[in-house]
Amino acid sequence: MENSKIQEVIEKQVLTVAKAVEEAIDDEIAALDRLDVDDIEALRERRLLQMKKMAEKKQRWISLGHGDYTEIPSEKDFFTAVKTSDRVVCHFYRENWPCKVMDKHLSILSKQHLETRFVKIQAEKSPFLAERLKIVVLPTLALIKNAKVDDYVVGFDQLGGTDEFSTEELEERLAKSKIIIFEGESSLGSSKHGGQTRRSVRQSSTADSDDSD
């Protein structure tokens, strides 16, 4: 007797959910039915405009070096890169195994996230930058937004403490700082790890006022 009552409750719940879904679908169909030819054409034009703007944006990103993981030869080139791209992931590295591991993952992500520029610079040949940005542990990723360092990924501590982390784990860590955009971002939270102080990467306090976009 007890089991039959439980079954009855479950069946009622299933019917309630099914009815709600059916009503939602009916509402969407009714909304579509109310669209006239002009409405449909307006939606089509809006969509085409969005696609055109995105294509133009992607083309601009590619022209700035997005889509590839490249080495910056000098500190001067670093400043140019962070002034021309809104989002930059910069890997401060030296020739060692941990940095090569990071290289592998960043090379993959650079092709998946055109919205962000991925670069690397040799820390020992960039003493001014290393001192200014407090780069001590290598590898370190400086996550730069609008010409300011917004966050850091230092070593592998935030990636499981091992060099066997996956590209997806690094992707999630970068998405938490909103330096990249991907589908799972909304569930990752927006707090920055460790509350790092934002440091300007401008060359001096007398830099031109048009340094950032």
Side-chain angles (χ1 to χ4, degrees):
M1 188 70 177
E2 183 69 24
N3 287 339
S4 63
K5 285 184 178 180
I6 293 173
Q7 184 65 28
E8 185 179 347
V9 170
I10 292 173
E11 288 176 356
K12 285 182 179 180
Q13 290 177 338
V14 170
L15 286 172
T16 300
V17 172
K19 185 179 180 182
V21 171
E22 185 178 352
E23 289 175 352
I25 293 173
D26 288 342
D27 289 343
E28 289 185 14
I29 292 173
L32 289 172
D33 287 341
R34 288 194 295 271
L35 290 175
D36 57 26
V37 175
D38 289 340
D39 291 329
I40 294 172
E41 185 62 26
L43 286 173
R44 179 176 174 276
E45 290 294 330
R46 192 178 309 141
R47 179 59 180 157
L48 287 173
L49 182 60
Q50 289 173 344
M51 292 172 64
K52 181 181 178 182
K53 286 182 177 179
M54 179 52 68
E56 291 173 349
K57 186 177 287 187
K58 286 183 177 179
Q59 193 59 45
R60 179 176 180 274
W61 285 336
I62 291 171
S63 72
L64 293 173
H66 295 225
D68 282 318
Y69 178 48
T70 54
E71 179 156 8
I72 293 177
S74 70
E75 292 178 320
K76 180 180 178 182
D77 293 304
F78 171 87
F79 291 109
T80 300
V82 300
K83 287 191 291 185
T84 54
S85 295
D86 293 337
R87 295 184 181 96
V88 177
V89 173
C90 184
H91 174 201
F92 285 85
Y93 82 99
R94 70 161 56 102
E95 293 293 342
N96 63 15
W97 171 249
C99 291
K100 290 184 185 300
V101 171
M102 189 65 80
D103 282 340
K104 178 186 72 172
H105 295 297
L106 293 176
S107 181
I108 294 170
L109 291 176
S110 68
K111 293 171 175 56
Q112 295 176 351
H113 292 279
L114 283 181
E115 73 277 7
T116 301
R117 186 168 181 195
F118 289 79
V119 298
K120 67 177 184 175
I121 189 167
Q122 197 162 352
E124 292 166 352
K125 293 182 179 180
S126 312
F128 173 79
L129 279 175
E131 173 66 23
R132 181 154 189 168
L133 301 182
K134 312 298 183 188
I135 305 297
V136 178
V137 176
L138 299 177
T140 286
L141 304 184
L143 313 184
I144 303 159
K145 297 180 190 174
N146 300 315
K148 290 184 181 296
V149 176
D150 193 66
D151 202 357
Y152 293 93
V153 179
V154 180
F156 298 155
D157 287 348
Q158 300 168 40
L159 300 167
T162 172
D163 62 8
E164 295 180 355
F165 63 91
S166 67
T167 302
E168 289 74 20
E169 287 174 303
L170 178 58
E171 183 181 38
E172 288 186 7
R173 174 61 187 87
L174 297 179
K176 283 182 179 180
S177 295
K178 297 189 181 297
I179 199 69
I180 60 171
I181 300 169
F182 83 132
E183 292 177 359
E185 182 176 274
S186 60
S187 64
L188 293 171
S190 59
S191 61
K192 297 179 181 61
H193 183 89
Q196 293 278 7
T197 303
R198 298 179 68 174
R199 295 191 180 92
S200 172
V201 294
R202 295 179 188 277
Q203 286 174 287
S204 71
S205 60
T206 59
D208 294 339
S209 60
D210 61 350
D211 279 353
S212 61
D213 293 329

